[in-house]
Amino acid sequence: MGLFDWVGGQFIDVIDWTDDSHDTMVWRFPRQGNEIKYGAKLIVRESQVAAFVNEGEIADILGPGTYELETRNLPILTNLQHWDHGFNSPFKAEVYFLNTKRFTDLKWGTKNPIMVRDPEFAMVRLRAFGTYEIRISDPETFLKEIVGTDGHFTTDEIDDQLSNLIVSKLAVVLGQDKTPVLDLAANYELFGQYITDGIAPYFEEYGLELTKILVENISLPPEVEKALDTRSSRAISGNLDEHLKYQAAQSLGNGGTMSEMAGMGMGMAMGQQMAQAMAGGLGASGQHSTPTAPPPPPGGAVWFVAENGRSKGPYTETQLRQMAGSGQLNPETYLWKEGFDGWKRAKEALPGLFDATPPPPPPPPM
């Protein structure tokens, strides 16, 4: 190696940085003992800033552009070095490139449930997770408070700290928000903006800007979700008595067996009892009122009555005679029982039901 080659290798003429890692926040230009030539070119690209550090002190920060490193472009560094105008010796300041683009898809999530008050459930524990986005807003603060002398600083080195910061402040923000838990899912976007505004000031202490928090999911404990599922199923079923009658009619239409229909009849009777008990509440004596319609007695043929396109029953033959005597049944009313091919008129299904005529009523008392 000749003398001029050695001299040329000692001085750096161009200082720049291109990044394809997508996660590097700060990168220090490697001098490796070489000195930066006075008058060398510094290229700072868009979404970058360059910071000069001289003897551990930040001397200057330059935005995007191409610079010739001389005294008029580095006034602070000139003052630190006590350079006179026109001084053309090389210098050994360190150059840090800071990536000011937006870093996206950083993860956050609660490790343990957060206890919050809710207008509907009183108190409830919530878990939440999502993503967030940041960018460097104050290069000097970020270098001093976070990076230090790290020559290759990535998002992995600060991701856990920022995620913990979000989660720690999330409990405060959730406590201030009055949105019911069941309405949060419909307002994830608005809620994400709300917690972004509430947590962003804490990021400024690190020289960072929290540009966005995305909420992907807010979940309840498994036991609460199970209770909600039960409540939803009960609401979908609607009126218990009507639901059981519908099942009985479906069984008739599908040729259900005697045992199935008898079971459904008992279920409907229980449903009627429950409905009457809930409707009647407590009587004047403070005791629960007794049901007015007991279930049909066991034994005997089980009959079903068609009324207004719906199936009613089951009834015993004795009950049908009582209904005929009170005028609730007439010869044209359709009846059905196990063994019938289809519905039959009462005068055909029970020919003797309307034949008997009652004796004359007793004379009035004297």
Side-chain angles (χ1 to χ4, degrees):
M1 177 184 296
L3 176 62
F4 290 102
D5 292 335
W6 176 82
V7 173
Q10 293 299 301
F11 303 127
I12 298 173
D13 293 321
V14 178
I15 303 173
D16 67 344
W17 175 51
T18 56
D19 174 45
D20 58 1
S21 65
H22 306 296
D23 64 348
T24 301
M25 302 184 75
V26 178
W27 183 77
R28 182 175 58 214
F29 186 82
R31 287 191 301 106
Q32 298 178 350
N34 294 341
E35 296 178 327
I36 300 174
K37 181 179 180 180
Y38 187 78
K41 286 187 177 182
L42 169 67
I43 301 174
V44 183
R45 293 173 171 81
E46 292 290 343
S47 74
Q48 293 179 351
V49 295
F52 280 82
V53 178
N54 182 67
E55 296 182 356
E57 185 176 357
I58 296 177
D60 217 338
I61 294 179
L62 302 175
T66 300
Y67 303 88
E68 286 190 10
L69 303 183
E70 54 187 30
T71 54
R72 63 185 180 187
N73 289 336
L74 297 172
I76 299 178
L77 184 59
T78 301
N79 293 334
L80 290 175
Q81 293 280 27
H82 304 292
W83 286 350
D84 296 326
H85 181 69
F87 187 81
N88 57 8
S89 296
F91 55 95
K92 294 185 178 181
E94 296 175 321
V95 181
Y96 287 82
F97 285 93
L98 290 88
N99 203 338
T100 58
K101 72 173 186 179
R102 184 178 300 192
F103 294 91
T104 62
D105 200 31
L106 303 176
K107 309 295 184 181
W108 67 272
T110 55
K111 297 178 181 177
N112 298 304
I114 299 175
M115 180 71 75
V116 298
R117 294 187 181 275
D118 183 73
E120 186 169 355
F121 298 108
M123 290 181 292
V124 67
R125 292 179 294 120
L126 297 178
R127 291 182 180 272
F129 64 86
T131 61
Y132 66 99
E133 302 175 0
I134 59 170
R135 64 183 171 198
I136 299 174
S137 59
D138 188 339
E140 184 172 350
T141 300
F142 188 66
L143 280 175
K144 290 180 178 179
E145 299 294 334
I146 303 299
V147 179
T149 59
D150 192 338
H152 185 200
F153 190 89
T154 65
T155 55
D156 290 340
E157 299 180 56
I158 197 174
D159 184 28
D160 288 342
Q161 172 63 20
L162 297 181
S163 177
N164 292 337
L165 179 62
I166 292 175
V167 173
S168 67
K169 305 302 180 184
L170 181 64
V172 178
V173 176
L174 282 173
Q176 296 172 347
D177 184 55
K178 303 301 181 183
T179 304
V181 170
L182 297 182
D183 294 336
L184 287 176
N187 297 277
Y188 276 177
E189 184 175 355
L190 294 177
F191 185 65
Q193 184 59 49
Y194 179 77
I195 61 177
T196 299
D197 296 339
I199 298 177
Y202 299 100
F203 279 65
E204 296 174 0
E205 301 175 3
Y206 299 106
L208 296 171
E209 177 187 359
L210 177 63
T211 58
K212 184 181 294 185
I213 291 180
L214 298 177
V215 180
E216 296 182 12
N217 181 264
I218 297 178
S219 60
L220 297 165
E223 57 272 17
V224 178
E225 292 182 348
K226 183 178 180 180
L228 283 176
D229 290 341
T230 303
R231 177 176 174 182
S232 300
S233 299
R234 188 167 64 247
I236 291 173
S237 298
N239 183 277
L240 179 59
D241 185 37
E242 297 296 331
H243 182 64
L244 290 172
K245 289 180 179 179
Y246 170 77
Q247 287 184 317
Q250 289 290 99
S251 179
L252 286 174
N254 295 330
T257 64
M258 183 68 178
S259 59
E260 290 175 344
M261 288 183 287
M264 290 181 185
M266 294 180 63
M268 283 189 288
M270 292 176 61
Q272 291 173 349
Q273 285 181 313
M274 293 171 61
Q276 290 166 356
M278 289 187 288
L282 294 175
S285 63
Q287 301 296 324
H288 285 283
S289 58
T290 58
T292 58
V302 179
W303 294 85
F304 289 86
V305 179
E307 182 179 307
N308 297 325
R310 298 172 60 184
S311 173
K312 296 182 64 176
Y315 301 107
T316 64
E317 186 172 327
T318 301
Q319 290 175 313
L320 291 182
R321 293 187 181 278
Q322 294 173 353
M323 295 168 65
S326 63
Q328 298 180 49
L329 288 182
N330 60 66
E332 300 299 322
T333 302
Y334 281 94
L335 302 178
W336 184 93
K337 70 173 182 177
E338 179 73 14
F340 279 14
D341 294 333
W343 291 85
K344 295 183 180 181
R345 291 182 175 86
K347 62 183 180 181
E348 300 172 355
L350 288 172
L353 187 61
F354 300 96
D355 292 344
T357 58
M366 298 300 292

